[in-house]
Amino acid sequence: MGKLTIDFKLDPLLELDPKLLKQKNGKLLIDVDGELTITLGDRRFFWEPSLTLLELGVALKRWRTKDPGANKDFHFFTMEHDEREGPILAFNRKSAGRWQLFSIWQEFEHLDLIAAEDLLEAVDGYLAELEAVLVDRFGLRYKDFMRWWAT
C-alpha cells in the first residue's frame, strides 16, 4: 500500500496560558491542538483540522512505553469526543508484525496490513517531531503529562 505518514501542523499563533504552562496543567492536553493528517502511500486516510495533538502524543507515548514491542492494539479516544462512537484512531494488530488502521473519521476503509516496522516508524516520527516543537515553543514534554493519562 505504500508508506505510512503521520503529519501535524500546530497553529503558529497558538498561545497557551502561562499559569497552565508553569503548572503543567492537564487542561493543556486539549489546549494544544492542530491539524493531523495520516496518509497511506499517496492516499489521505485521515484528516482532522482541529485535533488534540498533545493528548494524542501522550496516548501514543504511553502505548510505546508500556508496549515497546507493539503487541497490543492502540485505541485513541479524546476527552472531547463520545467514546461510544468508536476510536478517533486505532491500530489493530491482525497477526505478528501486521497491523490495520481504523478511524471513525477515516476517508477510506483500510484493508491492507501495515508492517509493524512501518507503523512504529511513523508513530515514533510523530512523537519526536511533536515533542521537539512543544519543547521549543512551550517547554513541554510528554513526561509532564503521563500522570493525566490513567490507562
Side-chain angles (χ1 to χ4, degrees):
M1 165 133 262
K3 184 173 171 113
L4 168 67
T5 58
I6 305 172
D7 296 310
F8 70 92
K9 290 180 187 168
L10 196 61
D11 181 351
L13 302 177
L14 177 67
E15 292 189 25
L16 299 174
D17 184 326
K19 184 178 178 182
L20 296 178
L21 284 169
K22 185 176 179 183
Q23 298 170 345
K24 307 294 191 241
N25 190 293
K27 184 177 180 310
L28 294 169
L29 288 168
I30 58 172
D31 288 352
V32 177
D33 70 343
E35 180 180 314
L36 184 76
T37 305
I38 299 174
T39 55
L40 290 162
D42 60 352
R43 291 184 72 192
R44 186 171 77 181
F45 172 76
F46 176 97
W47 178 74
E48 174 56 40
S50 182
L51 190 78
T52 53
L53 298 175
L54 177 56
E55 185 183 22
L56 175 60
V58 170
L60 286 168
K61 184 68 172 181
R62 189 161 191 84
W63 177 64
R64 292 291 287 131
T65 301
K66 288 184 116 182
D67 186 18
N71 294 305
K72 296 182 178 153
D73 293 350
F74 170 80
H75 290 177
F76 175 65
F77 299 91
T78 178
M79 292 182 238
E80 297 185 315
H81 191 72
D82 187 344
E83 287 187 22
R84 292 176 292 187
E85 292 183 36
I88 303 298
L89 181 62
F91 307 141
N92 297 311
R93 185 173 183 261
K94 294 298 180 183
S95 63
R98 308 299 287 171
W99 293 80
Q100 192 171 42
L101 268 59
F102 173 80
S103 171
I104 58 170
W105 299 334
Q106 66 193 32
E107 295 186 11
F108 64 91
E109 187 176 6
H110 174 243
L111 299 175
D112 295 332
L113 298 181
I114 298 171
E117 309 83 54
D118 296 335
L119 173 65
L120 298 180
E121 180 182 329
V123 167
D124 292 345
Y126 170 80
L127 288 171
E129 190 176 337
L130 179 61
E131 188 167 57
V133 169
L134 294 176
V135 167
D136 184 54
R137 286 193 53 193
F138 306 113
L140 297 176
R141 296 183 183 281
Y142 300 124
K143 68 179 183 174
D144 299 328
F145 299 94
M146 295 302 264
R147 69 183 184 272
W148 298 106
W149 207 264
T151 57

